[in-house]
Amino acid sequence: MKKTLVFGASSNPARYSNLAIRRLVENDIKTIAFGVSGGTVSGVQIKDNLAEFQNINTITLYLNPKNQKEYYQKIIDLKPKRVIFNPGTENPEFYKLLENAGIEVEVACTLVLLATGQY
């Protein structure tokens, strides 16, 4: 089964990353989460150690461009098939790095993709 990593996950129910975890789980998509604050959302534990993740199909990004920089190489090293840049995460510099590594870049909203059956 394809696996999605919610990157920049939050246990705060008001955050879009939290809603994304809930919607992914509701859509029976294998979901894992990375965030600095920890917690659990819909049975998904938010981990703070990227070394625990492997075999990822999609990373859906919820981290602003300024905070993405320190994770560029770590995300590339995870070798996902694609990275979804949700609204507010757009980052042309990172797009180029990902594309050069053979990783598909999608500028979209995970919630909309799920709601419209395009995920």
Side-chain angles (χ1 to χ4, degrees):
M1 178 185 276
K2 293 181 178 177
K3 195 181 329 180
T4 293
L5 170 59
V6 177
F7 201 100
S10 172
S11 59
N12 179 345
R15 305 292 288 211
Y16 284 110
S17 63
N18 183 292
L19 183 56
I21 293 170
R22 290 183 276 143
R23 292 287 187 272
L24 287 161
V25 169
E26 287 168 9
N27 281 276
D28 295 320
I29 295 168
K30 175 110 174 100
T31 305
I32 54 180
F34 171 79
V36 292
S37 61
T40 302
V41 178
S42 293
V44 176
Q45 183 183 358
I46 299 171
K47 298 183 178 181
D48 63 0
N49 182 358
L50 282 174
E52 296 183 41
F53 301 118
Q54 54 190 321
N55 302 319
I56 296 163
N57 184 72
T58 300
I59 292 177
T60 182
L61 202 52
Y62 289 93
L63 201 61
N64 72 50
K66 182 182 73 151
N67 293 328
Q68 291 171 19
K69 205 173 217 52
E70 70 178 283
Y71 294 106
Y72 284 0
Q73 194 57 51
K74 293 173 184 177
I75 289 173
I76 290 167
D77 290 345
L78 288 171
K79 298 182 173 93
K81 180 179 177 243
R82 70 175 172 166
V83 174
I84 298 173
F85 286 81
N86 287 281
T89 67
E90 299 89 347
N91 184 346
E93 176 183 64
F94 196 17
Y95 303 165
K96 288 180 187 147
L97 295 171
L98 291 166
E99 288 167 345
N100 288 342
I103 299 167
E104 178 187 335
V105 169
E106 191 166 350
V107 181
C109 176
T110 296
L111 298 172
V112 171
L113 293 173
L114 288 166
T116 57
Q118 299 178 71
Y119 192 84

